[in-house]
């Protein structure tokens, strides 16, 4: 999973940021940790635009784009986008703000963005040849509580190029190293005194725009009104600090001992205790097609101060496919269950001459054939030793559910994951383990590792005797709530829990006990069917594990290439804040294995991301929760 492909375009986002104001009490997480949230506000959101830097070597010109028009100019004139959203401009003329105006000089081949008296005078000088283009955004002429990002214009006399940057930011340092000097301070951009804890954040609560692709088949939720993140509160794990790249496929389960036990793969993870770096790769190699899957223990209750340790790998064969990757893991009653699934590419051939056959075009670019879940290996000593039923499968259908992806067959349980019911299955409705996976049934469907048509669900009593026995599994067969039907032992009778052709992908589900809501998190291709460009992530909610479902928010181009997204129950709030009408959580995900142009939210990268988030609540739902909490 390490191909690189350049983007077709760099989209501009206008994000709603909630300014941080009144101090409130900390948040109690399910982990027991009291999270100090600092300053927050329930004031109406304002628009903040993270500007993207572009550069064209032929013109020796830097462009700072915070509007669709400037972005279109940069991309149509073959400017290259560079990561690092240093400049944060407001998207509306609030009281006390001044416009940052963009000018173009054909004689200098220079794009100038300025808000200061000095810069406007420079632009007005006829000798410089600047022509006004547009207002790029708004900023403050002096520092304020929410505008402390000093923006300066730098100038290269050799290149005749101006460059608007955040002082001491990434692009400022790049400009200094290239011989640019600071001409003047322009204004102060959007950043608070509690600016990002880790990298590049504004310290603002930021609402991700709800921008679903056309045809979304669910109504908008009346209870959960969106999804917001705290910019800069996104520590990364696995690389030894909070920013280094490491690996992906982090799906921890909360054990009765209080620790999280997780898979990972395709990278190198540093053990925070021993200092050892351990590598894993899940693509099959050599005639044996052996691959490895990683494992680790995550210790700690503070999401900003976790320790990754007991880092190891396990070897098994991908045969008769080309990849064998981690998926659902479950820790229950002192047993750790760890499942893997198969992947392949169209018409791939194996050493014994077998192949998977064709797949509908166009080619998705990376692991275009979603294979079946293999089985569930298990450990009763926290991963020190394992019992694995299938070190090497004997045929494409030799797996726990008997599904196959050979010859363009579709599977129902691709990359399945256990529903997160809290520590040791605390909130399971019946003591059983539930599994969700993305699938397809149309022959013409492209079912890849992050793409499909449907989501399926199954359940089982989580014992070592039952979990690898298909006859013990019950498959969801339709209906909602108390009318839901289940069929035992027959995966062919399973029907979709949700369906949206060409718009599902890796799926997870978490029970939000404080809300009595089930949250489905689904990630899929932004640009169908590409598996190497941006990804979308969206959230569905229901009062019942079988629906009906409503959608909460559709995060277009989240990450911008985030995947394997889920809300770990250990880091959910014990209760909603019914006064501010928000519910606090953390979103864990991997990001940007192939598409590395930008990082949004800040510090989204190829490691274990743990983004602090919250969900706005409707007035009526917050009131109902307040009554329930008071009664409790």
């Amino acid at each position: 999973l390490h191909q690189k492909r350049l983007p077709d375009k760099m989209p501009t986002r206008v994000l709603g940021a909630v300014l941080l104001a009144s101090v409130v009490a900390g948040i109690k997480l399910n982990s027991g940790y009291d999270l100090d949230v600092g300053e927050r506000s329930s004031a109406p959101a304002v628009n903040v635009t993270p500007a993207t830097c572009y550069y064209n070597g032929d013109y020796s010109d830097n462009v700072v784009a915070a509007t669709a028009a400037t972005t279109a100019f940069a991309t149509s004139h073959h400017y290259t986008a560079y990561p690092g959203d240093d400049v944060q401009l407001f998207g509306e003329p609030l009281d006390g703000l001044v416009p940052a105006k963009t000018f173009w000089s054909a004689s200098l081949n220079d794009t100038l963005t300025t808000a200061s008296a000095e810069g406007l005078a420079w632009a007005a000088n006829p000798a410089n040849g600047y022509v006004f283009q547009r207002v790029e955004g708004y900023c403050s002429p002096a520092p304020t509580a929410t505008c402390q990002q000093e923006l300066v214009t730098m100038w290269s006399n050799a290149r005749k190029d101006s460059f608007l940057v955040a002082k001491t930011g990434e692009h400022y340092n790049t400009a200094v190293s290239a011989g640019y000097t600071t001409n003047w301070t322009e204004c102060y951009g959007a950043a608070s005194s509690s600016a990002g804890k880790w990298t590049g954040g504004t310290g603002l609560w930021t609402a991700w725009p709800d921008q679903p692709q056309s045809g979304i088949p669910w109504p908008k939720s009346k209870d959960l009104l969106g999804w917001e993140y705290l910019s800069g509160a996104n520590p990364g794990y696995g690389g030894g600090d909070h920013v280094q790249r490491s690996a992906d496929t982090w799906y921890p389960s909360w054990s009765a001992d209080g620790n999280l036990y997780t898979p990972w793969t395709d990278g190198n993870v540093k053990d925070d205790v021993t200092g050892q770096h351990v590598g894993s790769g899940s693509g099959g190699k050599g005639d044996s097609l052996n691959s490895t899957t990683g494992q680790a223990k995550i210790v700690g209750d503070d999401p900003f101060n976790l320790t990754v340790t007991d880092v190891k790998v396990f070897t098994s064969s991908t045969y008769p496919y080309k990849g064998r990757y981690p998926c659902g893991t479950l820790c229950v009653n002192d047993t750790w269950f760890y499942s893997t699934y198969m992947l392949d590419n169209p018409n791939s051939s194996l050493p014994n001459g077998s192949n998977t056959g064709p797949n509908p075009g166009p080619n998705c670019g990376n692991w275009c054939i979603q294979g079946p879940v293999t089985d569930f290996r298990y450990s009763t000593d926290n991963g020190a030793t394992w019992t694995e039923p299938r070190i090497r499968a004997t045929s494409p259908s030799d797996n726990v559910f008997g599904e196959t992806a050979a010859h363009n067959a579709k599977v129902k349980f691709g990359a399945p994951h256990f529903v997160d019911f809290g520590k040791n299955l605390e909130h399971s409705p019946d003591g059983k383990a539930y599994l969700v996976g993305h699938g397809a049934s149309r022959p013409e469907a492209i079912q890849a590792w992050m793409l499909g048509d449907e989501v399926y669900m199954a359940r089982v009593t989580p014992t070592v005797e039952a979990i690898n026995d298909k006859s013990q599994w019950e498959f969801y067969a339709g209906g909602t709530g108390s009318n839901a039907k289940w069929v035992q032992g027959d995966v062919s009778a399973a029907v979709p829990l949700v369906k949206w052709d060409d718009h599902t992908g890796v799926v997870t589900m978490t029970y939000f006990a404080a809300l009595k809501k089930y949250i489905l998190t689904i990630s899929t291709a932004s640009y169908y069917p590409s598996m190497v460009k941006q990804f979308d992530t969206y959230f569905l909610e229901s009062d019942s594990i079988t629906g009906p479902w409503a959608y909460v928010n559709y995060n277009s181009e989240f990450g911008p290439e985030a995947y394997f997204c889920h809300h770990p129950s250990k880091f959910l709030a014990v209760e909603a804040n019914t006064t501010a009408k928000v519910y606090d959580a953390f979103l864990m995900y991997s990001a940007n294995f192939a598409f590395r142009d930008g990082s949004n939210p800040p510090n989204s990268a190829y490691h274990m991301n743990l983004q602090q988030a919250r969900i706005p609540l409707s007035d009526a739902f917050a009131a109902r929760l307040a009554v329930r909490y008071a009664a409790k």
Side-chain angles (χ1 to χ4, degrees):
L1 298 178
H2 296 286
Q3 287 180 264
K4 172 73 173 177
R5 183 168 296 183
L6 294 177
D8 290 339
K9 62 187 183 70
M10 282 295 294
T12 297
R13 297 195 181 283
V14 178
L15 305 179
V18 181
L19 297 180
L20 314 184
S22 57
V23 176
V24 300
I27 302 165
K28 172 74 78 174
L29 300 180
N30 287 336
S31 68
Y33 186 77
D34 285 308
L35 186 67
D36 179 10
V37 297
E39 297 175 332
R40 301 178 42 170
S41 173
S42 57
V46 297
N47 289 331
V48 173
T49 306
T52 299
C53 171
Y54 293 86
Y55 182 71
N56 186 307
D58 294 334
Y59 302 151
S60 295
D61 181 36
N62 285 283
V63 171
V64 174
T67 63
T70 303
T71 300
F73 166 83
T75 55
S76 65
H77 287 78
H78 308 294
Y79 284 66
T80 300
Y82 286 90
D85 295 330
D86 289 353
V87 175
Q88 305 274 343
L89 298 175
F90 288 91
E92 53 190 290
L94 301 175
D95 289 345
L97 301 184
V98 296
K101 299 179 179 180
T102 293
F103 298 82
W104 166 252
S105 170
S107 60
L108 297 177
N109 275 338
D110 180 48
T111 307
L112 169 72
T113 300
T114 183
S116 65
E118 297 93 333
L120 292 171
W122 172 260
N125 186 340
N128 295 324
Y130 286 97
V131 177
F132 173 73
Q133 303 297 309
R134 66 192 61 87
V135 172
E136 204 66 31
Y138 299 86
C139 51
S140 174
T144 68
T146 54
C147 296
Q148 296 191 3
Q149 182 192 59
E150 184 179 359
L151 305 181
V152 299
T153 285
M154 306 192 73
W155 176 257
S156 168
N157 199 51
R159 297 179 178 181
K160 306 300 182 189
D161 178 46
S162 64
F163 192 10
L164 178 68
V165 299
K167 191 173 183 180
T168 72
E170 177 183 350
H171 294 144
Y172 174 88
N173 294 329
T174 301
V176 169
S177 66
Y180 286 69
T181 57
T182 302
N183 270 13
W184 50 70
T185 295
E186 291 289 354
C187 57
Y188 293 82
S192 76
S193 57
S194 58
K197 294 182 179 180
W198 305 115
T199 58
T202 65
L204 300 177
W205 278 107
T206 305
W208 198 278
D210 179 28
Q211 298 174 330
Q213 295 197 29
S214 62
I216 188 168
W218 305 280
K220 195 82 166 71
S221 173
K222 296 179 180 178
D223 295 336
L224 311 184
L225 303 184
W227 190 87
E228 301 173 355
Y229 66 96
L230 184 58
S231 178
N234 182 24
Y237 290 98
D241 60 23
H242 290 298
V243 297
Q244 295 297 317
R245 289 171 61 86
S246 58
D248 65 9
T249 324
W250 303 85
Y251 286 111
S253 180
W254 192 6
S255 174
D257 66 8
N259 297 313
L260 295 170
Y261 291 86
T262 184
W264 60 270
T265 195
D266 277 6
N268 289 274
V269 171
K270 181 180 180 181
D271 190 308
D272 293 330
V273 174
T274 67
Q276 181 184 11
H277 289 265
V278 180
S280 175
S282 290
K285 295 179 174 61
D287 290 346
S288 64
L289 292 173
N290 279 346
S291 70
T292 59
T293 49
Q295 66 186 70
K297 178 172 70 175
I298 302 174
V299 181
D301 298 326
D302 176 2
F304 294 100
N305 187 27
L306 300 175
T307 298
V308 178
T309 188
D310 289 354
V311 180
K312 303 174 183 178
V313 297
F314 184 88
T315 301
S316 59
S317 175
T318 70
Y319 180 84
Y321 301 93
K322 284 292 187 70
R324 186 170 182 173
Y325 279 78
C327 49
T329 56
L330 174 67
C331 294
V332 59
N333 301 331
D334 300 319
T335 301
W336 182 4
F337 297 103
Y338 187 131
S339 59
T340 55
Y341 68 98
M342 300 298 199
L343 289 174
D344 216 321
N345 285 304
N347 293 311
S348 65
S349 60
L350 299 181
N352 69 350
S354 66
N355 80 39
T356 54
N359 201 48
N363 192 302
C364 79
N366 181 260
W367 291 127
C368 299
I369 293 181
Q370 173 65 61
V373 58
T374 310
D375 55 27
F376 303 88
R377 72 174 183 256
Y378 59 88
S379 172
T380 56
D381 51 16
N382 295 328
T385 60
W386 292 93
T387 299
E388 166 57 73
R390 291 176 181 82
I391 289 289
R392 177 184 171 95
T394 59
S395 72
S397 60
D398 179 20
N399 53 75
V400 63
F401 294 153
E403 295 195 283
T404 179
H407 309 298
N408 199 30
K410 309 302 178 187
V411 302
K412 295 183 176 180
F413 288 89
H417 295 94
F418 287 102
V419 177
D420 187 345
F421 288 117
K423 182 192 287 188
N424 204 43
L425 284 185
E426 176 184 5
H427 297 291
S428 171
D430 48 22
K432 295 181 179 179
Y434 285 66
L435 195 72
V436 290
H438 73 286
S441 51
R442 298 179 301 136
E444 67 271 23
I446 297 178
Q447 187 183 7
W449 66 280
M450 281 281 291
L451 192 61
D453 292 350
E454 302 144 348
V455 170
Y456 291 83
M457 183 164 64
R459 65 186 183 186
V460 72
T461 300
T463 64
V464 295
E465 295 80 14
I467 204 163
N468 283 299
D469 182 352
K470 183 176 71 171
S471 70
Q472 299 300 307
W473 281 85
E474 298 174 88
F475 299 95
Y476 171 74
T480 61
S482 60
N483 295 318
K485 294 176 288 187
W486 299 84
V487 173
Q488 188 162 341
D490 184 6
V491 69
S492 68
V495 303
L497 180 69
V498 299
K499 178 179 174 65
W500 188 10
D501 286 355
D502 300 328
H503 289 89
T504 69
V506 170
V507 58
T508 62
M509 186 191 294
T510 300
Y511 180 63
F512 283 41
L515 306 182
K516 292 190 174 180
K517 295 276 192 184
Y518 294 89
I519 305 296
L520 269 176
T521 302
I522 301 174
S523 299
T524 192
S526 300
Y527 298 95
Y528 174 85
S530 177
M531 296 288 98
V532 291
K533 295 183 180 180
Q534 299 96 315
F535 293 145
D536 298 347
T537 293
Y538 59 96
F539 311 105
L540 307 180
E541 64 94 351
S542 175
D543 295 336
S544 167
I545 196 169
T546 52
W549 300 93
Y551 92 89
V552 178
N553 213 71
Y554 193 100
N555 293 15
S556 178
E557 299 181 27
F558 179 72
E561 190 192 43
Y563 55 102
F564 301 161
C565 304
H566 59 107
H567 293 94
S569 61
K570 184 173 182 176
F571 301 123
L572 300 180
V574 173
E575 291 186 349
N577 183 334
T578 57
T579 301
K581 301 183 183 66
V582 294
Y583 180 70
D584 292 89
F586 281 77
L587 184 71
M588 185 178 289
Y589 58 95
S590 305
N592 305 339
F593 80 94
F595 189 89
R596 302 181 189 178
D597 296 295
S599 178
N600 193 20
N603 203 34
S604 295
Y606 193 73
H607 50 217
M608 188 187 87
N609 299 271
L610 192 56
Q611 173 66 60
Q612 187 175 350
R614 68 183 187 185
I615 298 173
L617 311 177
S618 70
D619 291 349
F621 187 57
R624 296 200 302 271
L625 290 176
V627 171
R628 177 157 66 87
Y629 296 160
K632 184 176 68 173

